[in-house]
Amino acid sequence: DAELEQQLRPLPTESTGTVPPMIQHTSGGETHSLEIETALMELRERTAEINAMARDFLMVSSTTNQDDMNAFIQSLRGQGFATDLPPVHQAVAQMIMELDFRVQNESNAAIALPQSWSEREALRRFEEVRSTLRDRLENILALHPSDVVKARMAFEQEGRDLNLDLRVPSVSGRLHALFDLHIEIAESQALHDPVVQRRQRMMRILHRGAIHMAENERMTIERLERNIASFEELVQTILESGEEGFDEAQQALVIRFLESKGYDVNTAELRPRVLACAGILGAELGYLSPSEIPRIAPGVLVTETEVDAIVTELKALAASFKPESTQAPEDEAEVAESVADASDSLARVRGKIDRVDELLNRLNG
């Protein structure tokens, strides 16, 4: 009976639960080395930083672009994340996919009505503190002018300090939309800032034709770009301490000071570019006139008389290459005369050939 009961008992079915393809979880019993566990712990502690950088990534790319996402994850090594380890790489990819799903929910919730009483109250709280958030955001951007990731993290913390429930997609979506809007406004205002415009002019001069430069020269340009404010202070100090103009002594002083700080700028490519940038700064600040700005590639100067002589010579040279034009006969008489002349010439040539043949026959005798 026991054997019969065992045969009649249904076989146990294996669990076939599927995991969504975008979010794959590793098995809970997987063990890692101490190095990997330490890297994963650091990753979890810096989740807010990962999310802030991932939001910037998702603004221009998506998780469907695997090559781009892998390149982004590998770039996090420069921020201290051990993404060269496969488990850490997979964990970061998992966080990006989850954030992408959350961002999509935030976008959908931004145009939808509240779906619960809790969400409605959370949105009311956000509207109450919106003006406060706007004021504090300006201070945050001033504290982190060149680091959007840190500014975003600080803004999220401000939202939490104001008792905003960022777990609600509609609230977190509005918070980050407010941040992105202020970033766009700040970038638009920077385009009209005279300091930014001046620095853009200098960067165009430094980077013009940089692809043909040596590697060390390109690295020097990049270093100058990162420290452009210090370069401006140096040039301004030299121009203030000197007399009017930007003479060779002051130019040499700029180059020597940069060399003393480790900038290899005394080369045929970089020296004229650096001095031109210094001249632009001096003209913008009122120390120099535009004509006193050092030129990158000075042209050949000639007088007006020399210009006229060059033009005349070029015209004569061009005329010498033109073929001589022959006047076509205008009437039938001229045509007939030319044909008769050609016939006479042909007869004379034939007569000469006949005499040559006769002479050869005599010699061969």
Side-chain angles (χ1 to χ4, degrees):
D1 294 340
E3 183 178 355
L4 180 60
E5 183 180 357
Q6 181 69 23
Q7 293 178 356
L8 294 176
R9 183 177 301 170
L11 295 175
T13 58
E14 297 182 357
S15 176
T16 59
T18 59
V19 181
M22 292 296 293
I23 302 178
Q24 298 289 338
H25 297 279
T26 58
S27 59
E30 186 177 359
T31 58
H32 301 293
S33 64
L34 180 60
E35 178 187 6
I36 295 177
E37 288 293 342
T38 303
L40 291 174
M41 288 178 59
E42 183 180 1
L43 186 66
R44 288 189 289 269
E45 292 174 356
R46 300 174 64 182
T47 299
E49 187 176 352
I50 289 288
N51 288 337
M53 290 185 288
R55 281 186 180 271
D56 288 339
F57 165 75
L58 293 174
M59 289 180 65
V60 296
S61 188
S62 66
T63 55
T64 57
N65 190 343
Q66 290 294 325
D67 294 337
D68 201 26
M69 189 170 75
N70 289 332
F72 167 72
I73 294 175
Q74 290 299 328
S75 70
L76 297 179
R77 294 184 61 185
Q79 306 297 328
F81 297 98
T83 53
D84 54 326
L85 301 175
V88 179
H89 188 285
Q90 182 180 359
V92 174
Q94 172 74 21
M95 295 170 66
I96 296 175
M97 291 178 182
E98 292 176 352
L99 180 63
D100 186 28
F101 181 72
R102 180 179 178 84
V103 169
Q104 293 177 9
N105 288 338
E106 291 175 354
S107 300
N108 296 331
I111 58 176
L113 295 175
Q115 302 299 315
S116 64
W117 178 86
S118 300
E119 183 179 359
R120 188 188 67 182
E121 293 302 313
L123 288 174
R124 285 180 176 176
R125 175 60 184 167
F126 176 81
E127 295 301 331
E128 290 175 358
V129 300
R130 179 189 287 271
S131 59
T132 304
L133 283 172
R134 190 183 299 111
D135 295 337
R136 295 187 181 182
L137 179 55
E138 294 179 358
N139 297 331
I140 291 173
L141 294 177
L143 291 174
H144 308 284
S146 58
D147 197 334
V148 179
V149 173
K150 290 184 178 179
R152 189 184 294 273
M153 293 171 58
F155 190 55
E156 286 183 351
Q157 187 59 44
E158 286 291 341
R160 295 187 184 95
D161 294 341
L162 292 173
N163 297 324
L164 293 180
D165 190 358
L166 299 184
R167 296 172 300 176
V168 180
S170 56
V171 175
S172 61
R174 284 171 169 80
L175 182 78
H176 288 285
L178 181 62
F179 179 85
D180 295 335
L181 176 62
H182 275 258
I183 290 294
E184 292 179 1
I185 293 175
E187 291 177 351
S188 177
Q189 291 176 345
L191 294 177
H192 302 285
D193 187 354
V195 176
V196 175
Q197 293 178 353
R198 180 182 68 230
R199 291 178 178 177
Q200 288 179 348
R201 289 180 59 193
M202 292 192 292
M203 289 304 103
R204 284 197 296 267
I205 290 176
L206 288 175
H207 285 282
R208 188 176 67 179
I211 190 174
H212 303 295
M213 295 183 185
E215 180 66 23
N216 59 333
E217 291 179 334
R218 289 198 297 268
M219 293 177 62
T220 301
I221 290 176
E222 293 175 359
R223 186 181 171 193
L224 274 174
E225 183 176 3
R226 291 193 300 268
N227 300 283
I228 190 65
S230 300
F231 173 75
E232 291 178 340
E233 293 178 1
L234 165 66
V235 174
Q236 185 175 0
T237 302
I238 292 177
L239 292 176
E240 287 178 349
S241 60
E243 299 179 355
E244 294 183 358
F246 190 41
D247 55 17
E248 294 182 359
Q250 291 175 316
Q251 296 177 13
L253 183 58
V254 171
I255 298 299
R256 286 201 304 268
F257 187 86
L258 290 175
E259 284 185 313
S260 67
K261 297 299 181 180
Y263 294 89
D264 188 13
V265 295
N266 197 14
T267 65
E269 288 287 345
L270 295 184
R271 181 185 175 93
R273 297 168 187 263
V274 171
L275 295 179
C277 291
I280 290 175
L281 177 62
E284 290 282 344
L285 299 179
Y287 295 101
L288 305 176
S289 63
S291 61
E292 293 176 315
I293 298 177
R295 301 173 62 181
I296 295 180
V300 179
L301 301 179
V302 294
T303 63
E304 294 182 0
T305 305
E306 291 173 330
V307 171
D308 294 337
I310 292 173
V311 172
T312 303
E313 185 177 355
L314 289 176
K315 288 182 178 180
L317 184 62
S320 65
F321 283 97
K322 292 182 179 180
E324 296 182 357
S325 59
T326 57
Q327 184 176 2
E330 297 180 355
D331 50 17
E332 296 180 358
E334 292 181 356
V335 173
E337 183 178 358
S338 62
V339 172
D341 293 339
S343 179
D344 294 339
S345 298
L346 181 60
R348 287 194 300 271
V349 171
R350 285 179 177 176
K352 291 180 180 180
I353 293 175
D354 292 339
R355 286 194 296 271
V356 171
D357 289 341
E358 183 180 358
L359 179 60
L360 290 175
N361 291 332
R362 288 180 182 179
L363 292 174
N364 292 330

